[in-house]
Amino acid sequence: SSGRLRIHGDVGQQPYQRRGREAVVSTQSTGEMGKGSFCYAWVLDKLKSERERGITIDIALMQFETPKYDVTIIDAPGHRDFIKNMITGTSQADAAVLIVAAGTGEFEAGISSNGQTREHLLLAFTLGVREVIIAINKMDTTSPPYSEERYKEIKKEVGAYLKKVGFQVPRVPFVPISGFKGDNIDTLTSNMSWWKGAKVQTGEK
């Protein structure tokens, strides 16, 4: 959903093999329920009501280690009915990944004056989050699929709002992805060869 936050803090170790098995089971289960597009969300969405409705309701944690850091991913809901849970997760965050849906109508709803994309960015900044990545999701659903023009349109509009809120836009990476198809999730995809990576400012702020 547009405006969904995945938030990063400290700790732990990711049980990779177990998560992989869960993803396979999720694919089978969601297919049986006619909710195939939600299969990967099921790895973190554990509540029965979450799986039946196809939305994240409560925050969920996933932990892993890198050579330098211990990381906890906090998956926070994007739906406005569960904004209190989103605030609980965001208040613990050091950095955030905002998932913005690229689908026709979905992005426009999220970036509108009362949209969740705007609300979540404002809340994140108010709660002290200064490091953010914008992941432009569902690029496989644009018209035409994987449209560079759609990516540029979304980047321009979200960038303008980031600046208005107070984020340092030159330091914010924008990444076009398809969570469902796996594009640009762990390796560069050939479906968006026009994207050469995110160029951001580094060094002292």
Side-chain angles (χ1 to χ4, degrees):
S1 60
S2 191
R4 184 171 182 166
L5 280 173
R6 281 177 173 80
I7 304 156
H8 300 254
D10 291 322
V11 267
Q13 182 175 6
Q14 160 68 13
Y16 296 103
Q17 293 180 335
R18 181 168 60 84
R19 294 297 181 186
R21 289 195 298 270
E22 288 178 356
V24 172
V25 173
S26 296
T27 303
Q28 295 169 345
S29 301
T30 52
E32 290 170 2
M33 292 181 65
K35 297 181 180 291
S37 64
F38 301 125
C39 59
Y40 300 112
W42 276 33
V43 175
L44 288 171
D45 291 343
K46 300 294 187 182
L47 300 178
K48 181 180 179 182
S49 54
E50 289 179 316
R51 294 183 168 186
E52 288 177 345
R53 296 177 62 180
I55 59 174
T56 301
I57 295 174
D58 202 359
I59 61 172
L61 306 179
M62 180 182 287
Q63 302 171 343
F64 65 92
E65 291 180 345
T66 73
K68 289 188 176 181
Y69 301 103
D70 295 335
V71 179
T72 297
I73 296 178
I74 308 172
D75 187 21
H79 197 284
R80 65 174 62 254
D81 289 352
F82 311 109
I83 196 67
K84 289 182 180 179
N85 293 340
M86 177 268 174
I87 292 172
T88 298
T90 307
S91 66
Q92 304 172 52
D94 300 310
V97 179
L98 180 73
I99 311 297
V100 178
T104 302
E106 289 185 271
F107 169 69
E108 286 73 15
I111 202 67
S112 65
S113 58
N114 295 317
Q116 292 301 93
T117 300
R118 286 176 176 262
E119 183 173 16
H120 286 181
L121 284 171
L122 180 59
L123 282 170
F125 191 85
T126 302
L127 291 166
V129 176
R130 296 294 181 269
E131 305 292 336
V132 63
I133 296 171
I134 307 298
I136 302 176
N137 192 25
K138 300 187 180 181
M139 288 297 297
D140 58 303
T141 70
T142 62
S143 182
Y146 304 106
S147 168
E148 181 180 7
E149 290 306 311
R150 181 61 165 168
Y151 166 77
K152 289 180 177 178
E153 175 190 1
I154 293 171
K155 182 180 179 181
K156 181 179 179 180
E157 288 203 44
V158 174
Y161 187 70
L162 284 167
K163 183 177 181 180
K164 182 178 180 180
V165 169
F167 287 99
Q168 297 186 45
V169 180
R171 295 178 176 272
V172 176
F174 287 77
V175 185
I177 67 170
S178 169
F180 186 55
K181 298 289 188 179
D183 296 290
N184 286 345
I185 298 301
D186 58 352
T187 56
L188 284 174
T189 177
S190 59
N191 289 324
M192 291 179 280
S193 57
W194 44 262
W195 188 75
K196 305 302 182 182
K199 297 180 180 180
V200 295
Q201 285 185 2
T202 58
E204 292 185 9
K205 297 182 179 179

